[in-house]
Amino acid sequence: MTRLKLVLLAFALAVPLAGCVVYQGPPPHPGAVWVPGHYGPYGGWVRGHWA
């Protein structure tokens, strides 16, 4: 029973940490805008990027 509790606790702590956190950093040039992740024209996932 103790092992089950440890597994559930580990899972409960790991799930919130699994979210994608992207460090955007400073813009590469004045006027740049951050484009969040999106699906591209051919259906593939495109990560967030400066444009």
Side-chain angles (χ1 to χ4, degrees):
M1 188 66 170
T2 303
R3 180 173 283 190
L4 176 62
K5 287 181 181 178
L6 286 175
V7 169
L8 291 175
L9 178 62
F11 182 75
L13 293 175
V15 169
L17 298 176
C20 294
V21 176
V22 177
Y23 174 70
Q24 298 174 2
H29 54 82
V33 295
W34 179 254
V35 179
H38 57 90
Y39 288 100
Y42 301 108
W45 180 254
V46 179
R47 293 182 1 195
H49 57 90
W50 287 104

